[in-house]
Amino acid sequence: MSKLEEFRKLNPQYKILTLDDPSFKEYGVLYTNDFNLDDVYRVMEKVQIPETGMKYIPNIPELADTYTMLAVKRDIFGEIPIDAGVTLGHSDTLLPLNIINVQK
C-alpha cells in the first residue's frame, strides 16, 4: 500500500486527491520544475512551528532571497515581485501519517 493510499485509509471521510488530478486544472498551473530545494529547507528549519493550531506567515524575506525563490520569480513569474511565505502547524482534522512527502 502506498503512503497516499495509507493516508486516504486513515481519513476516509475526505476525498484526498493528488495535485495532478484533473479537478485542479481550473485553479491554475502545476509547475513541476526540478528545483533544488536545499536552500529553502535551510531557511524553513529556522521557522518555528506552533505547538498547537496553524500559523500563516505571508512573507519571509530570507526565503524570498533564496536562489530557488529567485529562480521561481524569474522563470515562472517573469520578475514580477513575489512574496514567499508559508502556512504551517498542526491539523486538528486529518489523521497524520509520519511522512514528509506524500507521493502516489
Side-chain angles (χ1 to χ4, degrees):
M1 177 183 310
S2 74
K3 290 182 190 273
L4 177 58
E5 291 167 334
E6 187 177 346
F7 189 64
R8 285 175 173 154
K9 187 175 178 182
L10 286 170
N11 298 280
Q13 69 276 31
Y14 297 103
K15 183 177 180 181
I16 299 172
L17 305 171
T18 59
L19 288 175
D20 60 352
D21 189 279
S23 303
F24 293 114
K25 269 200 178 305
E26 68 180 281
Y27 299 106
V29 177
L30 175 62
Y31 291 96
T32 57
N33 301 35
D34 291 325
F35 291 110
N36 180 327
L37 299 175
D38 290 344
D39 55 348
V40 170
Y41 293 140
R42 278 192 295 279
V43 171
M44 292 308 298
E45 285 173 349
K46 300 173 193 173
V47 178
Q48 188 171 356
I49 299 173
E51 290 188 29
T52 60
M54 303 294 289
K55 179 179 182 181
Y56 171 59
I57 306 170
N59 188 35
I60 303 171
E62 187 180 358
L63 182 60
D65 289 339
T66 60
Y67 176 83
T68 300
M69 292 310 299
L70 292 171
V72 166
K73 178 182 174 182
R74 179 193 66 232
D75 297 349
I76 296 175
F77 293 100
E79 295 294 338
I80 294 172
I82 63 170
D83 289 332
V86 64
T87 300
L88 46 90
H90 303 277
S91 172
D92 297 331
T93 308
L94 295 173
L95 293 177
L97 200 64
N98 292 322
I99 55 174
I100 292 174
N101 186 7
V102 177
Q103 297 181 4
K104 290 185 198 179

